[in-house]
Amino acid sequence: MCVCVVVFSLLKLQIVMMKHGFYFTSLTKRKRKLSLRVENSQPLTNFDVTIVTRNEWGARPSKEINYMGTPVSVVFIHHTSMNECHTQDQCMEEMKKIQNFHMDDRGWDDIAYNYLIGEDGRVYEGRAWDRIGAHTLKWNDVAVAFSFMGNYCSKLPNDKALHALKAMLALGVKNGKITPDYKLYGHRNVGETECPGDKLHELISSWSHFDNSNSTPVKPEPKPYISEDKQ
């Protein structure tokens, strides 16, 4: 009888809260669900994204950490031009390979990108929002970079991976890490490279934030970093 009363009370509470526009989002050790909604309970983006943290995928410690000011007004899209991954286990192994390559072969302080995306639809934490990366020469201290794991010269990432990128862009704006009027570029727009691949670049160039001005991108001034406990 006691268990039934507790269950009924919880269901009643959930119904009442949903009527007022509140939603429950579950958290587990393995994943973090983030849902963006407006106050009247209608979806703002209707995007959910799962972020696998550095601890969860088994990242090595960084050699050195440097921070940048946010929100940034520039976002770069990359591909790793390495292996695709379709399950969380595969993607975590691929993250370790990419980090080892960047730190041991390239000599960088850590994995280059702020976040990476697998075809399992999950996002894998690299340097996160506030750290200076090693992804785009001369732009690392004013931009965040998202990289799809795989090669997208002749095909697109799957819908789950593209969905995850759009969710992260919306989340970055919502959390004050990306400006609402940010400009989107492919890596090739500021460097001699095929990255992020022909097919992927063709797709992102049709998105509303992509800079189609055909002029040379102008790097904004870096912002001073202010730690969250001082904000």
Side-chain angles (χ1 to χ4, degrees):
M1 176 64 71
C2 205
V3 172
C4 291
V5 171
V6 171
V7 171
F8 177 79
S9 298
L10 288 173
L11 287 173
K12 185 176 180 181
L13 174 61
Q14 185 172 2
I15 291 169
V16 169
M17 294 189 75
M18 288 179 69
K19 285 175 66 179
H20 291 277
F22 294 96
Y23 288 80
F24 291 101
T25 303
S26 62
L27 291 175
T28 69
K29 183 179 179 181
R30 300 302 302 171
K31 63 185 180 179
R32 185 176 306 165
K33 288 284 188 179
L34 300 162
S35 182
L36 310 180
R37 297 181 181 274
V38 295
E39 291 181 357
N40 66 357
S41 82
Q42 294 301 312
L44 176 63
T45 64
N46 201 27
F47 289 149
D48 288 330
V49 60
T50 300
I51 299 175
V52 180
T53 67
R54 291 175 62 90
N55 284 339
E56 289 170 344
W57 64 260
R60 293 164 54 181
S62 304
K63 296 177 185 177
E64 186 177 342
I65 295 176
N66 295 291
Y67 292 97
M68 64 181 177
T70 55
V72 297
S73 59
V74 178
V75 176
F76 285 104
I77 306 302
H78 293 246
H79 71 172
T80 62
S81 199
M82 294 172 65
N83 293 327
E84 296 174 15
C85 56
H86 299 272
T87 68
Q88 183 170 345
D89 286 342
Q90 288 177 355
C91 290
M92 291 193 298
E93 285 303 310
E94 187 64 15
M95 287 292 291
K96 294 174 186 175
K97 291 177 184 177
I98 297 167
Q99 187 185 39
N100 288 341
F101 173 61
H102 287 178
M103 294 180 73
D104 299 337
D105 292 71
R106 297 291 194 189
W108 297 336
D109 293 333
D110 202 341
I111 196 167
Y113 315 105
N114 299 92
Y115 292 95
L116 295 91
I117 302 169
E119 293 218 339
D120 63 337
R122 294 177 177 85
V123 175
Y124 293 79
E125 183 184 24
R127 302 200 190 196
W129 296 113
D130 299 304
R131 289 179 55 191
I132 297 174
H135 46 80
T136 312
L137 186 63
K138 299 181 181 180
W139 290 76
N140 291 308
D141 57 349
V142 297
V144 295
F146 298 94
S147 187
F148 289 92
M149 287 185 266
N151 186 310
Y152 297 99
C153 288
S154 58
K155 69 171 192 173
L156 288 172
N158 65 16
D159 288 344
K160 290 189 294 186
L162 292 170
H163 179 100
L165 172 59
K166 292 177 182 179
M168 288 299 290
L169 292 171
L171 183 67
V173 172
K174 177 180 180 290
N175 287 349
K177 301 300 183 180
I178 300 174
T179 61
D181 61 345
Y182 69 89
K183 290 184 178 181
L184 184 69
Y185 299 99
H187 186 191
R188 65 172 62 181
N189 294 113
V190 296
E192 296 294 326
T193 175
E194 293 184 350
C195 181
D198 290 344
K199 285 293 185 180
L200 181 54
H201 191 266
E202 181 182 2
L203 175 67
I204 65 171
S205 65
S206 69
W207 292 1
S208 60
H209 281 272
F210 190 85
D211 184 3
N212 278 305
S213 64
N214 293 321
S215 59
T216 302
V218 177
K219 180 183 174 181
E221 286 295 319
K223 296 178 180 178
Y225 172 69
I226 301 174
S227 61
E228 291 187 359
D229 58 356
K230 293 183 179 179
Q231 293 179 357

